[in-house]
Amino acid sequence: MSASTTTSSVSAPVRPAAAFALLGTVQATLIFALAALIVPLPDIGREFALDRSQLILLSAAYGLTFAGLLLLGGRLADRYGGRRALTAGLLVFAAASATAPLAPGYEALLAGRFAQGVGAALIAPAAMNVLRKVFASPASYGRAMATWGGLSVLGATAGNLGSGVISALLSWRWSFAVPLLVAGAALVLAPRLLPATPPGAGRSLDLPGAVLATGGITLTSYGLVVTDAHPWDSPAVLLPLAGGVALCAAFLLAERRARDPLLPPRFVLDRRRATGLAAIALTAAGTALTFVLLSLHLQQELGYSELETSAAFVPFAVALLVSGRAAGPLIARYGAPLVTAAGLTTGGAGLALLAVTGPGAAAVPYAYGLLPGLVLLPAGAAASFAGAAVLATAGVPERRTGLAGGVLNTAMELGPTVLFAVLLSLGGDAVSLAVTAGAFVALACATAATAAARGVRADAP
């Protein structure tokens, strides 16, 4: 990849490979932290005597603040400079990761998870802002984004696998060691490896828009999350949903009138960007749904231990790595829309297989029961994420890379939250997987048809 020749006033000339490795590790760690409590959640519930609703809120706390504050985080990165925002986010993330495992009870642990999400909401868009400075040309930035797209699902996989192993061998509290160590190392290395990024002159923060967006996204997400513990027509669901939808509507109206809107309406209406964001949201939802349903199926129905459950997902991680490595060259040759469509189709096939051989099905040997689906799904997901990340960031001006990072990560967070709740309400676990598979294939067909009609290529500006 060709690199920007921009240098920091306090560091040696930027080394693109080293800078990408640092930023990529941080991005993957954000999603590792998001997924790190999924497998050991039953242990935490027993230790603190938590009911189902408390466990649901604990598992969702990180994602609620992460998703709710991402648009503001993107604006802060564009306004004050990516490296400054990254450093601030790392400080918050590290502090939360250090205090959460020391929590004596539920309330302290919940506060730590909320704080982790606040730090992550600053870090994720800031990292993409800095990345654009490292890879200045559109071609090199596009190639970087093809790799970047698979980092989040890799982080989620590592979080699920690692947390199961750590919880089985040590304690769930040690799962916070990974985010703490990565954040600490990044704080030390950032001034040496990352370029300084200048503030965006004349950019306002659009605080009214930020308040409305944060409140709307957070309340809507919370209302959907608690549908797992309360019926859809209960006040516990309807009140936050109604409040969240009202705030989101007010946000959209306010943005149309704002002089410098937090989220310009045309930004997400671009056809390539809308397609990429839809693919990111759906792929994130499909992989998250699979992790949760299969983890429960393996432990509760098949009697797997936490360690055995983690081991069952090892082929998932291997397929993810192999496919992610191949995605970049495929995008360069065939274009991001076609690679995204192929990835969605492959992932949909994996989900369809898991719907037949997974939750609720008669027990069959792992090798020809779950394993084929656990290979096809990640292979498709890695390709889909890679192509969709290129589509979602194509043609974004440098001054809006923080916004692009915020929008991309918001889609990644809201996908599992919104679609997860809707899909689980459709019926049994197998039905949820089958419907998700159909959604994958439908979006793949739409993506391929749009590409064929317009002749869109991966690197088209």
Side-chain angles (χ1 to χ4, degrees):
M1 296 180 185
S2 61
S4 167
T5 56
T6 302
T7 62
S8 168
S9 59
V10 296
S11 64
V14 175
R15 292 174 290 166
F20 185 89
L22 175 61
L23 293 171
T25 300
V26 169
Q27 173 68 14
T29 302
L30 299 183
I31 312 303
F32 175 98
L34 181 67
L37 292 190
I38 292 178
V39 174
L41 207 58
D43 285 347
I44 299 173
R46 286 189 291 268
E47 181 173 337
F48 293 144
L50 304 180
D51 60 31
R52 184 177 178 84
S53 62
Q54 289 174 311
L55 285 175
I56 291 169
L57 182 57
L58 183 60
S59 67
Y62 179 111
L64 288 175
T65 48
F66 191 5
L69 291 169
L70 272 166
L71 291 179
L72 177 59
R75 173 53 61 90
L76 290 171
D78 288 339
R79 174 65 181 83
Y80 295 107
R83 203 174 77 178
R84 287 183 181 179
L86 180 71
T87 301
L90 286 169
L91 287 170
V92 174
F93 190 72
S97 299
T99 56
L102 303 177
Y106 168 71
E107 292 78 9
L109 179 58
L110 185 65
R113 290 293 280 174
F114 276 128
Q116 273 191 311
V118 173
L122 276 172
I123 293 169
M128 285 187 60
N129 180 287
V130 177
L131 193 70
R132 183 59 180 270
K133 197 72 174 177
V134 175
F135 299 99
S137 73
S140 64
Y141 182 66
R143 290 193 294 271
M145 288 310 301
T147 303
W148 189 265
L151 293 175
S152 293
V153 69
L154 179 61
T157 304
N160 280 278
L161 295 180
S163 63
V165 174
I166 292 170
S167 178
L169 299 181
L170 297 170
S171 162
W172 61 266
R173 296 176 185 268
W174 283 96
S175 297
F176 290 92
V178 174
L180 177 60
L181 291 174
V182 170
L187 284 168
V188 172
L189 294 174
R192 296 173 172 82
L193 299 180
L194 304 180
T197 50
R203 304 300 306 278
S204 68
L205 288 180
D206 186 18
L207 289 178
V211 171
L212 290 172
T214 300
I217 292 172
T218 302
L219 280 176
T220 303
S221 299
Y222 175 78
L224 290 168
V225 165
V226 297
T227 57
D228 193 56
H230 302 280
W232 280 87
D233 58 354
S234 68
V237 174
L238 291 178
L239 289 178
L241 276 181
V245 170
L247 289 176
C248 287
F251 168 71
L252 294 176
L253 290 174
E255 293 303 276
R256 295 183 65 180
R257 300 174 181 176
R259 181 181 64 84
D260 188 13
L262 185 70
L263 179 62
R266 290 184 179 180
F267 187 83
V268 293
L269 294 179
D270 175 89
R271 185 173 296 182
R272 287 177 302 173
R273 191 164 297 119
T275 299
L277 293 174
I280 287 170
L282 183 58
T283 305
T287 52
L289 184 74
T290 301
F291 271 124
V292 172
L293 295 185
L294 287 191
S295 293
L296 294 174
H297 170 64
L298 291 172
Q299 293 184 66
Q300 296 179 353
E301 296 180 25
L302 300 185
Y304 279 41
S305 67
E306 291 176 339
L307 198 58
E308 289 171 329
T309 299
S310 292
F313 281 99
V314 168
F316 189 106
V318 174
L320 192 70
L321 289 170
V322 172
S323 179
R325 187 67 178 269
L330 290 173
I331 289 171
R333 182 170 183 178
Y334 297 107
L338 292 181
V339 172
T340 304
L344 287 167
T345 302
T346 304
L351 285 166
L353 285 174
L354 292 172
V356 175
T357 62
V364 293
Y366 171 85
Y368 56 85
L370 296 178
L371 182 58
L374 286 175
V375 171
L376 285 176
L377 173 59
S384 173
F385 268 123
V390 174
L391 290 173
T393 55
V396 175
E398 187 172 343
R399 63 188 178 87
R400 284 184 171 169
T401 51
L403 170 63
V407 171
L408 187 150
N409 282 278
T410 298
M412 195 172 297
E413 293 308 308
L414 289 183
T417 302
V418 175
L419 297 177
F420 195 94
V422 173
L423 290 167
L424 286 179
S425 69
L426 297 177
D429 295 346
V431 173
S432 298
L433 290 170
V435 171
T436 309
F440 268 55
V441 175
L443 183 55
C445 293
T447 303
T450 300
R454 300 185 65 206
V456 178
R457 278 197 48 79
D459 48 0

